[in-house]
């Protein structure tokens, strides 16, 4: 049973560029949440997608946008990259609000470096 | 602002000793979860305790929850070198529907 798959694993971008990160949720899961984790800090909630809609959003600027496809996979897009966007981006999946019972399943993350 | 705050920030113990980490939060919650992260990779869900529960066990893990003090503790008994990791508490607040908010974490080092 495949877990959460994220791609790419590592990415280096130049300031001002745009980036797209991808996530395939665990089989049977339909809800995807994205987190940003700076070095030495806890994950920060970006947004959550369910039924192809953004259900909840954290305190991130509009440069951060997302999408969920009918197969439940998701993309995170970041425009006009800043040096401060360098972080580990984590995707977490669950079956709707079942994260309230069994928690999230996380992917291994995408390490984004902005130079 | 962060919903959860772990204490201590870093903890170093000898193999076989017990490790205790604490988490404080600010608002009413539906549940509180603990996760482990090895070397900056993905997080692994350890245990979830609901707001109406006071204590929960899973293997060598024991979690307590005191909603009156808005705090939780994670106890790892008989620690092993493989327990070396960062540990995060995460809260599902009643006022932040569908957001699970993580604290800054406790870095645990278990010395063989």
């Amino acid at each position: 049973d495949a877990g959460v798959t994220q791609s790419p694993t590592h990415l280096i971008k130049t300031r001002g560029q745009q980036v797209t990160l991808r996530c395939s949720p665990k089989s049977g899961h339909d809800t995807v949440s994205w987190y940003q984790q700076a070095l030495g800090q806890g994950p920060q909630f970006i947004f959550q997608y369910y039924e192809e809609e953004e259900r909840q959003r954290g305190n991130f600027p509009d440069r951060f946008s997302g999408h969920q496809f009918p197969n439940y996979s998701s993309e995170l897009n970041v425009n006009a990259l800043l040096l401060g966007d360098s972080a580990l981006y984590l995707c977490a999946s669950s079956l709707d609000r079942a994260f309230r019972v069994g928690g999230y399943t996380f992917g291994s993350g995408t390490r984004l470096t902005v130079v | 602002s962060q919903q959860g705050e772990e204490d201590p920030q870093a903890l170093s113990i000898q193999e076989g000793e017990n490790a205790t980490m604490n988490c404080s939060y600010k608002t009413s919650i539906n549940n509180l979860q603990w996760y482990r992260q090895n070397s900056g990779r993905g997080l692994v869900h350890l245990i979830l305790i609901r707001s109406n529960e006071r204590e929960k066990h899973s293997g060598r893990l024991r979690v307590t929850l005191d909603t009156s003090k808005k705090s939780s503790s994670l106890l790892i008994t008989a620690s092993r070198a493989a327990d070396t990791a960062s540990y995060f508490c995460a809260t599902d607040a009643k006022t932040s529907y569908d957001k699970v908010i993580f604290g800054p974490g406790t870095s645990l080092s278990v010395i063989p």
Side-chain angles (χ1 to χ4, degrees):
Chain A
D1 184 19
V4 177
T5 304
Q6 290 189 245
S7 63
T9 310
H10 296 84
L11 200 54
I12 299 175
K13 288 287 190 178
T14 303
R15 191 172 44 184
Q17 285 188 316
Q18 179 264 343
V19 68
T20 297
L21 310 182
R22 295 177 175 82
C23 171
S24 293
K26 181 179 178 179
S27 178
H29 286 184
D30 58 6
T31 302
V32 172
S33 298
W34 286 93
Y35 287 83
Q36 179 196 66
Q37 186 179 26
L39 200 60
Q41 298 184 21
Q44 300 292 309
F45 177 79
I46 303 175
F47 41 53
Q48 183 182 91
Y49 276 85
Y50 173 70
E51 292 189 339
E52 302 178 52
E53 298 267 338
E54 183 183 288
R55 182 158 67 179
Q56 190 60 274
R57 187 178 183 92
N59 295 324
F60 279 80
D62 292 344
R63 297 187 298 110
F64 289 77
S65 63
H67 189 77
Q68 185 178 36
F69 299 94
N71 67 353
Y72 309 122
S73 67
S74 177
E75 288 182 348
L76 164 65
N77 301 294
V78 187
N79 294 324
L81 285 167
L82 304 174
L83 297 179
D85 294 331
S86 295
L88 180 68
Y89 288 84
L90 294 162
C91 172
S93 75
S94 67
L95 175 60
D96 195 5
R97 296 188 169 105
F99 63 83
R100 292 188 169 155
V101 177
Y104 282 134
T105 300
F106 276 85
S108 296
T110 294
R111 173 74 62 187
L112 173 65
T113 302
V114 182
V115 297
Chain B
S1 61
Q2 294 270 18
Q3 164 71 330
E5 297 279 341
E6 288 92 342
D7 169 55
Q9 288 186 329
L11 181 61
S12 184
I13 60 174
Q14 296 289 326
E15 201 166 29
E17 293 182 336
N18 295 340
T20 299
M21 288 159 269
N22 302 299
C23 169
S24 60
Y25 57 92
K26 298 177 182 176
T27 62
S28 295
I29 59 172
N30 293 307
N31 62 61
L32 186 145
Q33 306 171 40
W34 286 91
Y35 287 80
R36 184 187 73 225
Q37 184 178 41
N38 292 85
S39 302
R41 302 309 293 175
L43 282 76
V44 175
H45 181 256
L46 295 176
I47 194 166
L48 180 150
I49 186 165
R50 300 182 187 185
S51 60
N52 62 352
E53 297 176 313
R54 293 296 168 259
E55 188 171 313
K56 204 162 182 180
H57 297 255
S58 177
R60 294 184 297 112
L61 305 180
R62 172 179 169 255
V63 170
T64 61
L65 180 64
D66 187 334
T67 54
S68 66
K69 295 181 179 178
K70 293 186 171 58
S71 67
S72 173
S73 68
L74 171 67
L75 168 68
I76 304 174
T77 60
S79 63
R80 306 165 181 169
D83 294 328
T84 295
S86 291
Y87 291 82
F88 298 91
C89 71
T91 51
D92 176 11
K94 290 182 178 179
T95 56
S96 299
Y97 209 62
D98 298 319
K99 287 183 186 178
V100 173
I101 305 299
F102 286 79
T106 293
S107 178
L108 173 65
S109 295
V110 181
I111 303 167

